[in-house]
Every structure is written in C-alpha cells, then in structure tokens.
Amino acid sequence: NEVLNGKGEEILEYSMYVFDRWGHVIFETNSLEAGWDGTVKGNMVPVGTYVYLVKLKDYRGKEHHYDGHVSVIR
C-alpha cells in the first residue's frame, strides 16, 4: 500500500495520527479521504516502524480508538 488511511461508513468524527519512534506527531488528519504517504514535509521518512492512532465517533455517538504499527519499507 502506498498510503495509510482509514475507511468506514457512518462516521461522524474522525482523527488519525502517525508518530515517530520518539512520540512526535509526524502526520495528522481529520479526513477519511486524506492519508499518510510516508513523508514528512515532503521528504520520505526512514525505513522503520511507526505508530498510528485512530479516534472516531460513530453515528450512534460511540467513541472508538484504534492503534497499531505500520512499517515503511522500500
């Protein structure tokens, strides 16, 4: 996959964050259409593992949190 992004239906609020290994936010979005392409300020990030966090609210108002790791390889 070239881009990390969320997918879903009936989502009222959405936020996705990607962190480097020091815990700095290197990407954030509030749009399901926008995704992380493995760059920071137009430069490719080093090969490695990054952490993502997704927060969303569904149509019933229930909040969900998802986190995990994504590996950048070339």
Side-chain angles (χ1 to χ4, degrees):
N1 298 334
E2 300 296 320
V3 177
L4 173 69
N5 61 342
K7 302 229 185 267
E9 297 178 6
E10 300 180 345
I11 297 171
L12 300 179
E13 294 177 21
Y14 172 85
S15 298
M16 181 175 76
Y17 307 89
V18 178
F19 303 88
D20 64 16
R21 65 179 173 174
W22 296 280
H24 299 113
V25 176
I26 58 173
F27 176 80
E28 65 181 287
T29 185
N30 293 317
S31 171
L32 278 168
E33 289 79 35
W36 183 54
D37 62 359
T39 63
V40 175
K41 298 179 183 177
N43 298 311
M44 296 298 291
V45 298
V47 169
T49 302
Y50 297 82
V51 174
Y52 67 85
L53 171 64
V54 173
K55 298 178 182 181
L56 64 89
K57 187 182 289 186
D58 66 23
Y59 71 99
R60 293 182 177 158
K62 184 175 179 183
E63 294 183 1
H64 303 266
H65 295 154
Y66 303 96
D67 59 65
H69 299 87
V70 59
S71 296
V72 173
I73 57 175
R74 292 188 185 85

